[in-house]
């Protein structure tokens, strides 16, 4: 891919520098070192990349991660569609099929492992671009399917493991995104000083995560979804099927879906301008799941109302005939 449009224009940029290597250095830099500068007007803050992540894994690893992510999404999509066809209250994934969901005990550890090695999975299928969409897939999976038919202990163990997995995945996601967004900020809002390939001058200090992209995995969205799962555990243990606790849980679920949608739209519009088609495809797929959930909730509201209307009409017709 041609990344020339990401390079800041500056006269001291040396044509002999490897542009791909410069981008890899910026996006995978772990530590930016502040150096003394004698030009307080044009270069008040001078930074150089001090340390980067290890080199990338072979492309075969990227292909395996791509196949796994695609399979996880397709499984979720199929289960969501079949769940819609069977109606609310007859969840398709009550038993063994839940284990194949991205938030299940089989897929979630693999996702956590991929996020932990995310900075090195960066050739064909760069996780620095796609891992937010994968986390959103996990959150949607956790929200969409509540295995309420399980026994109390089994349900608590399953939900608690999902909570732990989501928190770990979010932390590892930030370990991938923060250097990536920091490097993006350093590349786009700085100028090369000419001292070295990663030496840049800035008008303001460089902060961890940068200022150009605000998305974080450890965010209000994640905490709301974790809160929903926690309240599901409390409701299951206490046997609460109504009341304020159930109302709070339902409201938190709705806000969680809203925040996931906001994150999806934000990342589509404000992510770094590389691998654009891959990003659009990933977040477009997430948006499809969100739309299916909205349709499902609308149908769940409309069908009972239509049933009541039909019963009233039948009762009215019976009274008229008698």
């Amino acid at each position: 891919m041609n990344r020339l449009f990401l390079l800041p224009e500056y006269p001291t940029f040396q044509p002999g520098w490897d542009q791909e290597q410069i981008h890899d250095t910026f996006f995978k830099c772990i530590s930016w070192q502040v150096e003394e500068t004698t030009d307080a007007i044009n270069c008040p803050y001078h930074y150089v990349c001090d340390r980067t992540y290890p080199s990338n894994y072979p492309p075969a690893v990227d292909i395996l991660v791509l196949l796994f992510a695609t399979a996880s999404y397709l499984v979720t999509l199929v289960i969501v569609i079949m769940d819609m066809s069977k109606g609310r209250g007859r969840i398709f994934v009550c038993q063994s099929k839940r284990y194949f969901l991205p938030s299940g005990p089989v897929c979630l550890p693999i996702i956590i492992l991929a996020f932990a090695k995310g900075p090195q999975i960066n050739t064909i299928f760069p996780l620095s671009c796609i891992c937010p969409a994968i986390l959103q897939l996990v959150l949607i999976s956790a929200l969409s399917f509540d295995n309420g038919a399980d026994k109390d202990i089994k349900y608590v163990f399953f939900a608690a493991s999902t909570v732990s997995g989501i928190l770990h995945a979010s932390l590892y996601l930030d370990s991938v995104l923060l250097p990536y967004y920091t490097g993006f900020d350093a590349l786009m809002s700085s100028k090369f000083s000419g001292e070295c390939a990663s030496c840049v001058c800035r008008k303001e200090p460089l902060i961890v995560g940068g200022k150009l992209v605000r998305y974080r995995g450890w965010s209000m969205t994640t905490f709301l979804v974790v809160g929903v799962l926690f309240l599901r555990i409390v409701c299951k243990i206490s046997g609460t099927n109504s009341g304020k606790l159930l109302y709070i849980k339902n409201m938190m679920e709705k806000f969680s879906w809203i925040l996931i949608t906001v994150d999806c739209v934000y990342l589509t519009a404000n992510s770094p301008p590389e691998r654009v088609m891959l990003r659009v495809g990933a977040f477009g797929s997430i948006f499809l799941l969100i739309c299916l959930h909205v349709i499902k909730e609308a149908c769940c509201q409309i069908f009972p109302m239509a049933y009541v209307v039909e019963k009233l009409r039948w009762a009215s017709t019976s009274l008229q005939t008698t």
Side-chain angles (χ1 to χ4, degrees), residues 159-179:
S161 64
T162 302
V163 168
S164 176
I166 288 175
L167 293 177
H168 279 83
S170 300
L171 285 175
Y172 283 124
L173 172 65
D174 283 341
S175 71
V176 178
L177 291 184
L178 292 182

Side-chain angles (χ1 to χ4, degrees), residues 24-31 49-55 198:
D24 290 340
T25 300
F26 273 77
F27 287 144
K28 298 177 67 173
C29 185
I30 303 174
S31 174
C49 180
D50 185 50
R51 187 161 55 97
T52 62
Y53 281 108
S55 58
S198 65

Side-chain angles (χ1 to χ4, degrees), residues 2-251:
N2 185 7
R3 296 173 171 176
L4 286 175
F5 63 91
L6 284 178
L7 289 175
E9 296 181 1
Y10 198 64
T12 55
F13 177 75
Q14 303 298 324
W17 290 342
D18 188 339
Q19 295 162 0
E20 287 291 331
Q21 185 177 0
I22 291 174
H23 280 86
D24 290 340
T25 300
F26 273 77
F27 287 144
K28 298 177 67 173
C29 185
I30 303 174
S31 174
W32 288 93
Q33 182 68 35
V34 183
E35 295 188 336
E36 294 184 0
T37 175
T38 57
D39 189 353
I41 298 176
N42 298 318
C43 189
Y45 299 97
H46 188 262
Y47 288 88
V48 59
C49 180
D50 185 50
R51 187 161 55 97
T52 62
Y53 281 108
S55 58
N56 296 332
Y57 288 124
V61 177
D62 290 58
I63 294 174
L64 290 176
V65 175
L66 172 61
L67 293 176
F68 172 77
T70 304
S72 298
Y73 174 79
L74 292 177
V75 167
T76 305
L77 180 63
V78 169
I79 293 177
V80 167
I81 294 175
M82 296 191 70
D83 185 37
M84 291 175 62
S85 67
K86 289 180 178 294
R88 194 177 184 89
R90 297 179 58 191
I91 298 178
F92 178 67
V93 290
C94 283
Q95 301 299 327
S96 61
K97 296 179 181 61
R98 66 184 178 186
Y99 295 105
F100 297 99
L101 291 169
S103 60
V106 176
C107 294
L108 189 52
I110 299 176
I111 292 174
I112 294 173
L113 177 62
F115 283 4
K117 302 297 182 180
Q120 296 174 264
I121 304 174
N122 197 33
T123 53
I124 300 174
F125 186 71
L127 279 187
S128 55
C129 298
I130 305 303
C131 55
I134 298 177
L135 179 63
Q136 288 181 332
L137 179 62
V138 173
L139 298 180
I140 288 174
S141 170
L143 285 175
S144 298
F145 306 105
D146 182 16
N147 303 291
D150 287 338
K151 296 181 180 179
D152 291 351
I153 298 178
K154 189 176 181 181
Y155 179 86
V156 170
F157 177 78
F158 185 83
S161 64
T162 302
V163 168
S164 176
I166 288 175
L167 293 177
H168 279 83
S170 300
L171 285 175
Y172 283 124
L173 172 65
D174 283 341
S175 71
V176 178
L177 291 184
L178 292 182
Y180 180 66
Y181 290 156
T182 304
F184 176 62
D185 193 351
L187 192 62
M188 295 300 293
S189 59
S190 308
K191 295 181 179 180
F192 289 106
S193 66
E195 299 293 332
C196 65
S198 65
C199 295
V200 293
C201 290
R202 294 179 57 83
K203 297 293 185 180
E204 58 183 3
L206 182 65
I207 64 173
V208 177
K211 295 182 178 180
L212 300 182
V213 182
R214 300 290 185 179
Y215 176 80
R216 302 289 185 268
W218 192 260
S219 63
M220 182 60 68
T221 306
T222 299
F223 284 117
L224 268 180
V225 174
V226 168
V228 170
L229 297 179
F230 177 75
L231 287 180
R232 285 178 180 176
I233 294 175
V234 174
C235 291
K236 180 66 176 179
I237 294 176
S238 62
T240 303
N241 294 319
S242 61
K244 292 183 178 180
L245 190 62
L246 185 63
Y247 174 78
I248 293 174
K249 179 179 74 69
N250 292 334
M251 291 300 297

